[in-house]
Amino acid sequence: MHELDHYIYPHRVLHWLVAGVVLLSLLTGLTLGFLGYEGTVNLVGNTLTNFLYTSHKTLGVALLLLMTLRIITRLAFLIPDHDPPLNRFERVASTSVHHLLYLALIVMPLLGWAATASGGFPVEFFHWHLPGLIGEHKALSEELFMWHERLGWAIVALLALHVTGALYHWQIKRDNVMKRMSLFD
Ligand code: HEM
Ligand code: HEM
């Protein structure tokens, strides 16, 4: 047993940063996916469309960096105990959703990167162009974008479960789960 009642501070900061970046990535990605390039240009013009694409790719690449740091802070430091302990269902459900989120949030930016590069488009991070790493291959790009979209919806579903679980622990069960991740208490 140890006295820790929060994850270490950097891990908590990373959790909330990742949460913000994921929501913005989903918002910009779904907007672009729903409207398509032409549709977005017709609605908001060229400049804003390019800005949306660049922002979406920048957010996605930033997420890859944040998730890498996060995996380090997760593995390298002690984890607080649950008080009271979780029951078996809560333990299995929360661990599964957490692991799937970690996996999805690493695979998603890699898919976006590969889909973009194989489509012959620049992989942008702010004003830099990162190496594409794979050659142009239009059919592959379409396939990868399809998986990028499917995984996007899977992330939306995982987040719905995750946030429902967090709210249940916080407002109904009133245990220490929210406190473990909280920045303020
Ligand atoms: C929107 C993107 C979000 C993502 C990707 C995300 C992801 C995760 C992951 C992977 C964990 C596992 C803990 C770890 O080992 O790092 C976690 C923990 C946690 N999250 Fe989130 N989360 C998000 C949003 C939220 C929101 C909106 C809330 C609150 C309403 C929340 C509340 C919590 C809490 C309380 C924990 C601690 C669970 C525990 O003690 O094991 N998360 N989150
Ligand atoms: C975890 C990070 C990311 C999330 C959550 C995310 C999410 C999404 C979603 C939900 C869509 C809409 C798919 C559709 O409806 O067709 C999308 C589209 C797109 N994403 Fe991402 N994405 C991420 C990372 C990236 C990265 C790193 C890149 C490139 C470097 C990228 C490039 C694109 C492009 C170009 C589109 C538009 C595809 C189209 O025109 O249909 N994404 N993204």
Side-chain angles (χ1 to χ4, degrees), residues 166-178:
L167 293 178
Y168 166 75
H169 283 283
W170 186 29
Q171 291 297 331
I172 296 177
K173 208 176 166 212
R174 296 181 184 272
D175 55 16
N176 77 332
V177 165
M178 198 56 149

Side-chain angles (χ1 to χ4, degrees), residues 44-99:
V44 296
N46 257 317
T47 316
L48 203 51
T49 301
N50 289 334
F51 176 73
L52 271 176
Y53 274 93
T54 309
S55 306
H56 179 75
K57 297 180 206 178
T58 300
L59 288 164
V61 173
L63 198 73
L64 191 58
L65 296 172
L66 292 172
M67 286 306 292
T68 310
L69 287 176
R70 189 166 169 179
I71 288 174
I72 297 171
T73 58
R74 179 66 169 74
L75 294 177
F77 297 95
L78 277 181
I79 299 169
D81 290 320
H82 279 287
D83 179 24
L86 299 183
N87 65 37
R88 191 180 148 74
F89 169 75
E90 291 169 334
R91 213 173 45 242
V92 172
S94 63
T95 311
S96 314
V97 172
H98 293 160
H99 286 172

